[in-house]
Amino acid sequence: MKILITGGAGFIGSHVVRLFVTKYPQHTIVNLDKLTYAGNLANLTDIEHSANYKFVKGDIVDAEFINQLFQTEQFDSVIHLAAESHVDRSITNPTEFVLTNVIGTVNLLNAAKSIWAGKTSNSIFENRFYHVSTDEVYGTLGDTGLFEETTSYDPHSPYSASKASSDHFVRAYFDTYKLNAVISNCSNNYGSHHFPEKLIPLSINNIKNNLSIPIYGKGENVRDWLWVEDHARAIDVIFHNAQAGSTYNIGGHNEWKNIDLIHLLCKIMDEKLNRAEGTSAKLITYVTDRAGHDLRYAIDSSKLQRELGWKPSLQFEEGLRKTVDWYLANEEWLNNVTSGAYKDYYDKQYN
Ligand code: NAD
Ligand code: DAU
């Protein structure tokens, strides 16, 4: 089988590509990525020469290019992760999010629909369109409760509105055209190769460089953190086993207030950098809150656990320590993604 993975040079996508390339040598994995500021082929150097791996640089917003690629490659299935993913950027540039997350997804759906029309599949995951989405589509929770698969959509940021819209299109293509579509909605991921604009890698980078750690509002917002490799494993299980048209929530059952998470991170960083206890916490700076900032996300992943036997593997403090170790051991990666040096390098190779 030939499986297209979009956004495979990004944070989660690179973990999914690595898992599929190494676990399924019998399948060809094609990674389609535009290599935006967030996408970086240095995330995949360990598998880039594998016989069953191929990279294609391209933009999912370009319908003509996407149609041509599907005609040429005749993909058997798609796992779609390419997206603009940062909420703060969506507040300053919403249109970019509509283009990539909505139009880009519809372009992929159309191309898949066109090459799979009339085909009969031999397995549940052949001619499958797997759309990777977020828990942010459900909006925000109060102090109690969990997002379930049946929770109504109520997005608040341009990012979550664009992801919600793309989810609706995927469901519409299942209902209308019987496309073999599956969706998963996951909570906040953390781990290696996370672009340092997001809370955890930004804070690690700032602490390392003695810069302030910006905490939005009072730091009371709650997120449910999941080890990125556990997300990749969940995608593997869902891709191979889910019924067409189904949805699964993925989460860590691991809720943290931002300020408590940052205090734990500061403690770990003090230890790892041999600094006196309390040194990193002095960098915490409360700043103006994010507009439309959702208070609390928390996922009920019991359907995935019950039906497909998945569960998170890593306890949070252990995962956070592993994440810090990775960033401290990969200073070159951190410097090159923050300076844009990787982008310049790969742009030259692929233009
Ligand atoms: P990311 O920003 O790290 O990576 C996105 C990737 O998509 C990059 O490699 C980028 O180059 C590529 N891309 C962007 N625009 C493109 C375009 N027009 N054409 C082709 N490629 C393009 O994102 P991530 O955090 O790895 O998230 C991946 C997916 O998972 C997204 O769909 C996101 O909504 C979803 N998700 C993320 C999280 C999280 O915590 N990060 C949680 C749940 C769901
Ligand atoms: O819930 C899943 C989502 O998680 C994904 O769909 C998104 O792609 C991903 O970016 C992430 O969104 P968040 O907005 O939750 O992640 P972020 O790391 O930007 O912020 C986490 C929390 O920390 C949030 O409450 C905002 C806060 N924050 C963030 C930054 C960058 C700060 O307090 N200071 C910061 O500098």
Side-chain angles (χ1 to χ4, degrees):
M1 278 183 62
K2 194 184 273 188
I3 303 170
L4 172 68
I5 299 183
T6 71
F11 166 46
I12 302 170
S14 62
H15 286 276
V16 176
V17 166
R18 180 173 298 101
L19 177 67
F20 274 67
V21 166
T22 51
K23 189 170 172 187
Y24 302 110
Q26 72 276 28
H27 297 326
T28 300
I29 307 301
V30 179
N31 171 15
L32 166 65
D33 200 296
K34 184 181 172 184
L35 301 183
T36 67
Y37 78 94
N40 167 17
L41 290 175
N43 294 353
L44 290 166
T45 43
D46 53 333
I47 57 96
E48 68 185 353
H49 298 302
S50 305
N52 65 333
Y53 171 73
K54 176 174 164 183
F55 172 68
V56 176
K57 184 174 188 235
D59 187 346
I60 59 170
V61 179
D62 182 345
E64 204 179 315
F65 161 77
I66 290 295
N67 288 333
Q68 189 76 56
L69 182 72
F70 273 68
Q71 288 300 335
T72 313
E73 296 280 354
Q74 293 291 316
F75 301 115
D76 296 294
S77 290
V78 174
I79 304 178
H80 173 38
L81 295 105
E84 287 294 335
S85 68
H86 191 39
V87 173
D88 294 329
R89 286 180 190 254
S90 83
I91 295 168
T92 47
N93 189 2
T95 307
E96 192 69 31
F97 285 67
V98 177
L99 290 172
T100 293
N101 299 358
V102 186
I103 306 292
T105 301
V106 173
N107 287 341
L108 291 167
L109 286 166
N110 285 335
K113 175 167 87 65
S114 143
I115 64 160
W116 297 337
K119 279 197 182 163
T120 43
S121 12
N122 298 313
S123 73
I124 195 167
F125 56 92
E126 198 170 353
N127 303 345
R128 162 148 288 177
F129 192 100
Y130 184 155
H131 179 60
V132 175
S133 192
T134 171
D135 60 357
E136 301 204 8
V137 298
Y138 297 124
T140 186
L141 294 162
D143 290 340
T144 58
L146 299 171
F147 294 135
E148 296 171 12
E149 285 82 357
T150 50
T151 303
S152 300
Y153 277 29
D154 183 22
H156 297 135
S157 72
Y159 164 70
S160 53
S162 69
K163 291 297 289 189
S165 172
S166 64
D167 290 12
H168 289 319
F169 272 101
V170 174
R171 286 203 180 91
Y173 275 58
F174 168 72
D175 290 334
T176 309
Y177 308 109
K178 306 292 169 243
L179 195 77
N180 177 359
V182 169
I183 300 177
S184 58
N185 296 85
C186 189
S187 63
N188 287 62
N189 287 213
Y190 72 99
S192 71
H193 303 92
H194 203 181
F195 193 84
E197 63 186 348
K198 311 280 170 65
L199 180 68
I200 291 180
L202 176 93
S203 302
I204 293 173
N205 198 22
N206 284 12
I207 293 170
K208 190 165 80 67
N209 295 308
N210 274 312
L211 298 170
S212 67
I213 310 167
I215 299 293
Y216 297 163
K218 294 183 178 151
E220 304 260 297
N221 303 68
V222 174
R223 296 292 182 265
D224 173 357
W225 293 92
L226 179 71
W227 177 240
V228 63
E229 292 177 33
D230 283 338
H231 188 187
R233 277 194 308 109
I235 289 173
D236 180 19
V237 171
I238 294 167
F239 173 74
H240 283 97
N241 299 291
Q243 290 301 317
S246 60
T247 293
Y248 286 90
N249 279 353
I250 312 171
H253 291 281
N254 178 41
E255 292 181 48
W256 284 79
K257 269 189 191 169
N258 292 338
I259 190 63
D260 295 340
L261 185 161
I262 291 302
H263 275 294
L264 174 61
L265 182 64
C266 286
K267 187 185 93 163
I268 295 171
M269 290 295 285
D270 284 345
E271 275 171 43
K272 301 276 180 191
L273 297 171
N274 292 317
R275 291 178 181 170
E277 201 180 326
T279 307
S280 300
K282 290 194 187 122
L283 298 169
I284 293 174
T285 310
Y286 291 93
V287 299
T288 309
D289 206 354
R290 174 185 276 173
H293 197 172
D294 288 331
L295 178 66
R296 177 173 164 258
Y297 302 148
I299 278 276
D300 177 356
S301 67
S302 57
K303 179 183 174 197
L304 176 59
Q305 304 209 21
R306 190 178 59 249
E307 292 185 4
L308 303 184
W310 172 91
K311 59 175 194 246
S313 71
L314 214 57
Q315 194 266 337
F316 187 55
E317 183 162 345
E318 187 191 347
L320 204 51
R321 283 179 182 278
K322 282 173 83 147
T323 305
V324 168
D325 285 343
W326 188 86
Y327 279 92
L328 295 180
N330 287 277
E331 202 162 341
E332 194 182 329
W333 182 96
L334 200 47
N335 292 339
N336 285 340
V337 293
T338 39
S339 68
Y342 275 147
K343 180 151 175 46
D344 294 344
Y345 175 75
Y346 289 112
D347 277 350
K348 277 196 195 105
Q349 278 195 6
Y350 285 95
N351 276 339

